Amino acid sequence: MHSIVAPASAMVRRALMTAAVGVATLAFASVAQAEKVVMAWVPAIDALPYMVALEEKAFEKQGIEVVDQRLSSATGLVDALIADRAQVGPYGTAPGIAMVAESQHPGTLKIFGLSGGEADTPYVNSTLLVKKGSSIKSLADLKGKKLGRNPGIQWKTNVLYILNAMHMKESDVQQVELPFPLQVPALLAGTVDATITIDPFAATALATGDAEAAVVNVGAKYVANPWFGGCAVMTTKFVNEHPDTARKIMLVLRDITKRIEGDFDKYKPLLVKYAGIPENALPYVRPMLFRNDEQIDARDIGAMQKVFDMYYKEGALGTHIDFKTKVIRLSDLK
């Protein structure tokens, strides 16, 4: 009786087929396990940590499939979160708009990072831009002028607060609502006399040689210091239903914000790819202060509380906001 032995080549083929099926099964399982997360953002410098994450596929490495929603409006971003069309605003969300929405829909949003500027430091968030040679040298010179500002309650209230502090009435300055991408063109065309804007839009204007900064760090000098014009936010629903994924997102952005803090110039070229800034404007882009959930301290919370107390007093908030209760940290995730 003779044993039948398969030819070596046949055995190899069967082994390869078995291995291929195994790899395919693992790949399918990996894809099946990847959790889709809708992340909404506005292409400004505040969103640099998210740009780094996109470039490095940092979320995908953690088993997260990013559904990327690039928006043009800070208000539209918050609306998407409130309507559950997005789950995460990974830096670049306007905290003032977010907390106004939170006051109208209590328990909807949680903040896990801040971005902004600090007076008399290299960290810049908001700039008063004017045309080269303008007679406007300070905010006091805005009386009787047209001022461009971002639409929404955040900068409307900020401007009113600043005007009151300078003993000017709202009617003393004509405010013109302009989304960030339209502010510089309107300034250079003479539609407005000045505009309060942020990078990379300020950098783009300065690179033309036709504009100059009258005041740097408007928010930090005249509203609260440090001034945080941006934040990272998640919906409370997402945090409660997907705490493990929320934890991964926070850890990824913790790592990236620390690396940006260590070498801002290494990462700012991503603004060319993701925010459309001209390469010749990069030298004019100033560093931004990023504070992840681990870094947010009592000073940061106090600065934000001052802003929201002012918003409540000015009628922008329907209810008082206790900001420290709106911050979520890794230790809060169960």
Side-chain angles (χ1 to χ4, degrees), residues 44-285:
I45 190 173
D46 296 80
L48 184 58
Y50 180 60
M51 299 175 200
V52 175
L54 290 178
E55 185 71 10
E56 298 179 349
K57 297 190 181 301
F59 295 121
E60 287 80 358
K61 291 173 183 176
Q62 298 300 319
I64 299 168
E65 181 182 346
V66 175
V67 180
D68 182 56
Q69 283 194 1
R70 175 173 168 149
L71 305 174
S72 59
S73 160
T75 302
L77 195 167
V78 173
D79 287 345
L81 292 165
I82 295 297
D84 204 25
R85 297 193 304 272
Q87 297 155 310
V88 181
Y91 285 94
T93 306
I97 298 174
M99 288 298 98
V100 168
E102 168 69 12
S103 72
Q104 297 166 346
H105 306 274
T108 303
L109 301 175
K110 287 291 185 180
I111 289 175
F112 66 97
L114 297 168
S115 58
E118 187 172 359
D120 303 318
T121 74
Y123 300 110
V124 175
N125 176 251
S126 49
T127 301
L128 178 69
L129 279 183
V130 297
K131 290 183 74 172
K132 198 82 168 180
S134 170
S135 61
I136 299 172
K137 305 299 181 184
S138 69
L139 292 171
D141 296 329
L142 290 173
K143 190 169 185 178
K145 306 294 186 181
K146 293 182 180 179
L147 173 67
R149 63 161 177 81
N150 201 40
I153 195 67
Q154 180 165 299
W155 271 105
K156 177 181 180 181
T157 308
N158 293 338
V159 170
L160 291 179
Y161 175 80
I162 293 169
L163 292 179
N164 288 336
M166 294 189 166
H167 308 290
M168 286 194 283
K169 303 186 295 294
E170 181 178 358
S171 58
D172 287 336
V173 178
Q174 184 179 341
Q175 296 186 52
V176 181
E177 291 194 342
L178 292 168
F180 284 130
L182 300 181
Q183 290 178 347
V184 172
L187 174 67
L188 297 181
T191 305
V192 294
D193 300 298
T195 188
I196 297 175
T197 192
I198 61 174
D199 279 334
F201 310 104
T204 302
L206 294 172
T208 66
D210 297 323
E212 58 188 8
V215 180
V216 176
N217 264 334
V218 175
K221 288 180 177 177
Y222 294 95
V223 183
N225 189 36
W227 161 256
F228 295 109
C231 69
V233 64
M234 297 183 188
T235 66
T236 306
K237 177 183 177 184
F238 175 73
V239 171
N240 291 339
E241 294 180 355
H242 307 277
D244 290 339
T245 305
R247 183 178 293 106
K248 291 177 182 178
I249 291 170
M250 292 172 74
L251 284 171
V252 165
L253 291 172
R254 260 193 191 187
D255 171 64
I256 291 173
T257 52
K258 288 177 181 178
R259 285 191 279 134
I260 291 174
E261 182 180 19
D263 192 353
F264 177 80
D265 287 344
K266 175 181 176 180
Y267 297 102
K268 74 177 181 180
L270 290 176
L271 293 166
V272 175
K273 178 177 179 179
Y274 291 98
I277 179 175
E279 285 193 35
N280 70 334
L282 283 177
Y284 297 89
V285 175

